Amino acid sequence: MELEHLFNGSALNAVDAKGRLSIPAFIRGVIERRSDAKAVVIGMHDVSPCLNAYDRGYARHLHSENERRRLLEEGQGGSPEAAYARARRTFGITEDVPYDTSGRIILPPMMRRKGRIEDLALFVGVGGTFEIWNPHLALESGDEDLRELAAYRLEERGIGA
């Protein structure tokens, strides 16, 4: 699957007590060019302590990638348990979340807990998908660029890092 439109950029948005937040315009623009649905699929990131999100159409790409990895692992004598765990993580532990005309969503409680999202959400475009971070967790990341980005976005809001 070739991705014509990629997620680029970052933003820091407020999250209210009910989990409402706005999806940044740079993300909505990509979603609406890649899909007819005004919705995002949100799940856990495979490696980092954040959420990973994408448009509904990207799920086909993820399925193809999971299948490619399964076949490769089985060809190397790997156990099918890893493939099933990856499929559950990719498709079972996700939430399909529509957004309204102004781009607002309600972050599902399970995703909010898994991503440790509190009163702020740092959106980071990473090409085919985007990440949603608790900016304070991003400040603790081993990725120097991510730490710097989180600090900058917090400083823009007058919040010390």
Side-chain angles (χ1 to χ4, degrees), residues 56-100:
R56 287 178 181 166
Y58 191 76
R60 286 186 299 278
H61 169 74
L62 291 174
H63 181 269
S64 295
E65 180 62 18
N66 278 356
E67 188 64 8
R68 184 194 66 75
R69 289 177 66 184
R70 180 188 69 79
L71 293 171
L72 179 66
E73 289 165 359
E74 285 181 6
Q76 296 172 344
S79 167
E81 284 84 13
Y84 286 113
R86 186 171 41 254
R88 278 190 293 278
R89 191 173 54 250
T90 303
F91 298 106
I93 306 173
T94 62
E95 298 270 356
D96 188 274
V97 183
Y99 58 85
D100 66 18

Side-chain angles (χ1 to χ4, degrees), residues 73-145:
E73 289 165 359
E74 285 181 6
Q76 296 172 344
S79 167
E81 284 84 13
Y84 286 113
R86 186 171 41 254
R88 278 190 293 278
R89 191 173 54 250
T90 303
F91 298 106
I93 306 173
T94 62
E95 298 270 356
D96 188 274
V97 183
Y99 58 85
D100 66 18
T101 55
S102 59
R104 287 180 305 221
I105 66 167
I106 296 176
L107 190 59
M110 182 177 78
M111 290 298 121
R112 192 169 182 185
R113 182 174 3 156
K114 286 197 158 293
R116 297 167 52 191
I117 305 297
E118 296 170 350
D119 60 339
L120 294 169
L122 176 65
F123 290 83
V124 181
V126 291
T129 66
F130 61 94
E131 299 171 341
I132 306 172
W133 283 85
N134 173 327
H136 300 288
L137 290 178
L139 289 171
E140 298 169 5
S141 166
D143 180 338
E144 182 180 343
D145 292 327

